[in-house]
Amino acid sequence: MSAPHLPKVAGIDPEVPVSTQTAAPLREIPAAPGAFIQDRLAGWVSDLTTLHELTERLASTATLDAALNELLHAGAALVGARRGLLVLERAGTTTPSTTLGLGLGPADLGHLETVERSATALGRVLDGPPDAADARDGIATPDLLGDQDLDPRHREVATRLGYAASYALPLASEAAGRLGGAVWFYDEPGEPSEKQRHLVGLYARYATEHLARLTELERARADIATVAEELLPSRLPCIPGVRLAARHRTGPQGGGDWYDALPLPDHALGLAVGSVGGSGPSAMAAMGRLRASLRAYAVMEGEDPVAVLSDLELLLRLTEPARTATALFAYCEPAARKVVLAGAGHTPPLVLGDRRCEYVETTLSAPLGMLACWEAPSVEFSPAPGETVLLYTDGLLRRTGDAMDRAFARLHSAAASVPKADRHDPAAVTDHVLRAMLPDGLDRSDSTEDVVVLAAHFD
């Protein structure tokens, strides 16, 4: 016979034994198991945020030099270093290597170059096999001066420059290959942590892809600039009684602005500027055809600028009906100080001298290709001895960012401000006008506008 169950009281089972020990009071609340995970997650989020900010800054760079500087600074911040050195050299190309220092002057770079390349971590990163572990993970030298096998010259240079440790990393990725390497220097013995190595490795691989794109872009821009220069006069002619100067800048995509100066029979001179609509190789090719055609028409009937532009209009309309262009042609007789010009939708020349600075009043006309037949009356004027005639394309005006009326006023003010001592030098006049119009410089990389300025000074 089984024993009867005792009744339950308030849900307590009397069969459960009750401890006779009194539990100690709880003085500390143990950390929740998720706190450690939360700390790790917070650290990862912080690291990813830092990496995102640095890559965003790198992606905003538009030139190779700016990207290299940004890479050096960001890498130093990620590995905790103060100074660094970067070498960019792509295998299989004839492009000379680029060396850039952070916190290192020209003399410091010269000292580093005296160390045998194979004796440095950067040299081993640059010259080692692409699939070696060093090529992936980098080379840390935590105590240079304590390394008994260190090259004596390297020890001497490290002592002179005051660095005691280094970390070298290749600039490589699967798509771009190896573009170069970077090394950061520590003032005291040490090396980056595993987390720092991981972050700078991720950043370096992204930077390599960005550098590869910028390298290809700059190579393409250089090729475009070379082609554009070949399509323009290689030198300006020497004609008694007149001196010439020209400045030209082609946009990064290649444009259609051009100029020309050619000797004509009877010691005359033909001056021309123009612009073809559009940009890129197509516009550059059209510009070359237009300039060559104008030279031919100028030799045959240059004394009549209206006939030259009429022939050019007919040619453009028949051969490239979808193309528009502007042009201005001036027939100059320096001995007689006589200039006859005609323009097709082009900006008027500016005459600068000791007694005047004014635009030449030209008849309004449509650009080439806009009408079934183009013809506008020519304009004749006589530059006084010592005066300079300035021809230019509208890219000079658009580069200012002002409205056209304000840009014309700005150009007039720039020409009027040329010092008297420089007014007899066409090159000095051109440079002064460009500095006044474009304070950031003619070669500003973020501008897409072509610029042409041609100056003729009459003695």
Side-chain angles (χ1 to χ4, degrees), residues 130-221:
D131 56 347
D134 293 343
R136 298 189 305 269
D137 305 328
I139 300 176
T141 311
D143 188 3
L144 274 168
L145 301 182
D147 186 357
Q148 300 301 321
D149 297 329
L150 188 67
D151 181 85
R153 179 57 186 166
H154 193 182
R155 185 186 304 276
E156 179 182 348
V157 170
T159 303
R160 178 188 292 270
L161 300 185
Y163 64 87
S166 67
Y167 178 67
L169 187 69
L171 300 177
S173 70
E174 293 183 4
R178 186 165 55 192
L179 302 186
V183 60
W184 291 276
F185 301 111
Y186 297 89
D187 297 339
E188 301 292 338
E191 61 180 310
S193 65
E194 182 179 353
K195 183 179 74 171
Q196 288 175 320
R197 293 192 188 194
H198 179 66
L199 289 177
V200 76
L202 291 174
Y203 180 81
R205 284 191 289 275
Y206 175 83
T208 300
E209 300 288 347
H210 185 63
L211 292 177
R213 290 190 293 269
L214 289 179
T215 301
E216 293 299 326
L217 182 60
E218 292 209 351
R219 185 179 295 113
R221 288 175 175 173

